[in-house]
Amino acid sequence: MDNKRDQWGTKLGFIVAAIGSAVGLGNIWRFPYLVYENGGGAFLVPYFFAIFTAGIPLLILEYGMGHKFKGSTPLAMARANKKWEWLGWWPSITAFFILGYYSMILSWAMKYFTLSFSKGWGSDPNSYFYNDFLKLTDSPFQFGTVVWSILIGILLVWGISWFICYKGVKGGIEKLNKVLLPALVIIMIVIVLKGITLEGATLGLNKLFTPDWSKVMEPKVWIAAYGQVFYSLSLAMGIMMTYSSYLPKKTDINNSAFMTAFANCGFEFLCSIGVFAILGFMATSQGVGIEEVVSSGIGLAFIVFPKVFSVMGSWGTILGCLFFACLFFAGLTSCVSLVEAVSSAIIDKTGWERKKVVSGIALLGVVMSSIFASGAGLYILDIMDNFINCYGIVVVGLLEAIVIGWIIKAETIRNHTNKMSYFRIGKWWNFTVKFITPIMLAIMLISNFVTEIKTPYGGYNLTELLAYGWSVVGLGIIGAILFSRRPWKNKEIEKFEEVSKEEVV
């Protein structure tokens, strides 16, 4: 086995990096809206059920695979079963595509951070965002002109991500997360403390957490809960197996998975309180119902919140700067983890130096991301994100659970993690990995596909969905198969098998 493989400086460094990867934009702008839409406080029932039957079991599974087989996702899968190496490459390729539009959103956050000082979005944040800032065209194939402010931001994001990963696991990723994650939490706490003191904050919080128990009986609410847990923990993206492969031999795997899941969960609740307290203030100040100001995703961050900050005076300036810094920090920790998932796979496969691989990925990434700095950027982001989440990541997660649960054997991974951990997991884990998780992910996949057939996503035409959606999923699969057919440099798999036999003897 390769003794030169990078390692985390401390277990805390790994935990912080894993939490940093999990804590992303979805925690801030997706989770609060999901709770509001799906029964308020009642949503917490399917949400916590999903954490215990999918989130934590899959985290233990990915941590266990990465740690036992000591490799990036493709190498770990290949060492476990050579026939399934391609399943490790698919999420690694998908991670690269995600970086394309993630870098654009972080570019927006940087720009809006600077705008916050003067409330540069003006009196109509909606018009400013779509027309003045994005220069949005009429269709996904109408590219318009290059939006230089976005392109420069994309270059900066890739430059920072390159520098961190270039410095390595201990010297770059671990150090970054030890600074950014505490900063992120502190900023969000400040936003929450100010938010709950605003007039009308209780209106928003009551609307958010008042339970509607009838919603718990709706299947779509359970699908939403599983989807949120699955996406927000960075599962099936090649990240967690890669990160756990850098752990020392003796590490508490099970406890690490629980800590990561609950820390991510806690940050989601913190974000929800801050977001809905501020939305309650906005509804009260405008004399309208909370449902008229509630939004999710990009609209919440770049249109609704700027409207709020505009009417808050000097506090609006402070909260605006903090909010967009928070978005940037949350996105950057996730961005770095995606770069590492891609680069680690290539380093393992080729034996090339980390610095060369990271530099090559950054250059390719800049070229790919530049398409998002056009007038069609938002459309491309919208389509790609939907298809990657609904079909790419869900299918990888489903196959992971089936392959590792039934072929590699769940018991193999459970025995390994229990041997390493103070807290032992029982056979309930085998059952969730082999049955509950695959069933729920299959239901999600079928539901997404049926919805897609009935109503094509976002009102786009078939050509647009094929060009930016289905093609990305297809490229992930084709690329995975092609990469898996290339030989491993330095016979990585054989070396590992020899060491494993020695350990058994």
Side-chain angles (χ1 to χ4, degrees), residues 126 143 258 267 423:
N126 188 74
F143 295 101
F258 277 88
F267 189 75
F423 170 71

Side-chain angles (χ1 to χ4, degrees), residues 298-348:
I298 289 162
L300 173 74
F302 297 100
I303 298 170
V304 176
F305 265 38
K307 284 180 185 174
V308 181
F309 301 143
S310 290
V311 297
M312 286 180 68
S314 56
W315 261 106
T317 305
I318 295 168
L319 284 183
C321 293
L322 290 175
F323 177 75
F324 289 111
C326 194
L327 271 189
F328 181 74
F329 289 170
L332 185 61
T333 53
S334 298
C335 215
V336 166
S337 68
L338 289 163
V339 173
E340 184 60 23
V342 181
S343 58
S344 180
I346 295 170
I347 291 165
D348 282 348

Side-chain angles (χ1 to χ4, degrees), residues 3-22:
N3 293 321
K4 294 179 182 177
R5 186 169 188 80
D6 277 346
Q7 279 199 352
W8 300 107
T10 61
K11 181 188 167 184
L12 176 65
F14 161 68
I15 298 282
V16 170
I19 295 168
S21 173

Side-chain angles (χ1 to χ4, degrees), residues 176-493:
L176 174 84
N177 281 282
K178 280 184 174 177
V179 173
L180 285 198
L181 196 65
L184 185 61
V185 174
I186 291 166
I187 290 170
M188 187 51 73
I189 289 171
V190 173
I191 292 172
V192 168
L193 290 175
K194 179 57 185 174
I196 59 177
T197 63
L198 296 170
E199 185 185 354
T202 51
L203 172 70
L205 295 175
N206 287 340
K207 197 71 178 177
L208 173 65
F209 290 117
T210 301
D212 177 359
W213 295 108
S214 65
K215 293 268 192 181
V216 177
M217 304 307 293
E218 296 179 15
K220 69 172 187 176
V221 173
W222 288 78
I223 291 172
Y226 272 85
Q228 176 62 19
V229 166
F230 192 71
Y231 303 136
S232 73
L233 287 173
S234 297
L235 296 167
M237 295 184 193
I239 296 167
M240 294 308 183
M241 277 195 212
T242 301
Y243 270 13
S244 62
S245 73
Y246 300 133
L247 283 167
K249 190 173 180 181
K250 294 288 183 185
T251 303
D252 192 331
I253 302 288
N254 298 338
N255 196 35
S256 300
F258 277 88
M259 288 171 69
T260 305
F262 288 131
N264 178 68
C265 174
F267 189 75
E268 286 184 327
F269 281 110
L270 188 65
C271 294
S272 298
I273 293 167
V275 166
F276 268 80
I278 292 171
L279 290 176
F281 161 77
M282 185 177 182
T284 304
S285 64
Q286 292 183 352
V288 298
I290 190 81
E291 59 278 351
E292 292 187 43
V293 298
V294 170
S295 181
S296 177
I298 289 162
L300 173 74
F302 297 100
I303 298 170
V304 176
F305 265 38
K307 284 180 185 174
V308 181
F309 301 143
S310 290
V311 297
M312 286 180 68
S314 56
W315 261 106
T317 305
I318 295 168
L319 284 183
C321 293
L322 290 175
F323 177 75
F324 289 111
C326 194
L327 271 189
F328 181 74
F329 289 170
L332 185 61
T333 53
S334 298
C335 215
V336 166
S337 68
L338 289 163
V339 173
E340 184 60 23
V342 181
S343 58
S344 180
I346 295 170
I347 291 165
D348 282 348
K349 187 76 172 180
T350 61
W352 296 341
E353 280 183 44
R354 164 178 286 275
K355 293 178 178 179
K356 288 180 182 177
V357 171
V358 172
S359 300
I361 289 167
L363 287 171
L364 276 175
V366 167
V367 172
M368 176 189 64
S369 303
S370 60
I371 193 173
F372 293 98
S374 69
L378 181 60
Y379 298 124
I380 302 169
L381 174 155
D382 188 28
I383 297 170
M384 277 182 68
D385 184 56
N386 176 71
F387 278 79
I388 283 173
N389 281 325
C390 291
Y391 304 107
I393 292 173
V394 173
V395 174
V396 169
L398 175 62
L399 290 174
E400 262 186 19
I402 293 169
V403 171
I404 298 170
W406 291 92
I407 299 172
I408 297 168
K409 302 294 183 188
E411 197 69 25
T412 303
I413 304 303
R414 186 171 74 93
N415 288 341
H416 176 77
T417 64
N418 280 346
K419 190 169 66 176
M420 298 291 147
S421 308
Y422 298 114
F423 170 71
R424 296 171 65 85
I425 51 170
K427 290 188 177 178
W428 63 269
W429 184 83
N430 297 38
F431 184 78
T432 56
V433 168
K434 292 170 77 171
F435 297 102
I436 297 177
T437 302
I439 288 168
M440 290 307 301
L441 291 177
I443 291 169
M444 277 173 61
L445 182 63
I446 293 164
S447 172
N448 292 338
F449 193 69
V450 169
T451 304
E452 185 68 38
I453 297 298
K454 286 181 180 175
T455 314
Y457 175 72
Y460 297 106
N461 64 46
L462 184 60
T463 308
E464 292 161 350
L465 295 177
L466 283 170
Y468 300 123
W470 291 113
S471 66
V472 170
V473 177
L475 282 170
I477 299 169
I478 294 165
I481 293 168
L482 292 175
F483 273 117
S484 67
R485 289 182 175 175
R486 289 181 58 85
W488 288 93
K489 190 75 172 175
N490 302 328
K491 301 190 183 226
E492 290 292 340
I493 299 170

Side-chain angles (χ1 to χ4, degrees), residues 52-129:
F52 283 103
T53 60
I56 291 170
L58 278 175
L59 269 179
I60 292 172
L61 179 145
E62 294 203 354
Y63 284 176
M65 280 290 293
H67 187 260
K68 179 176 174 60
F69 295 106
K70 277 283 176 275
S72 58
T73 310
L75 182 55
M77 292 300 296
R79 282 173 167 170
N81 188 314
K82 290 177 187 177
K83 291 178 184 175
W84 291 96
E85 181 190 329
W86 70 271
L87 183 56
W89 281 107
W90 189 1
S92 305
I93 294 166
T94 298
F96 182 69
F97 285 127
I98 294 171
L99 280 163
Y101 59 80
Y102 225 77
S103 61
M104 174 181 70
I105 298 171
L106 294 192
S107 171
W108 296 353
M110 290 167 72
K111 175 66 175 178
Y112 268 68
F113 174 77
T114 62
L115 291 173
S116 298
F117 291 95
S118 61
K119 299 187 176 71
W121 45 73
S123 57
D124 187 356
N126 188 74
S127 175
Y128 175 83
F129 180 65

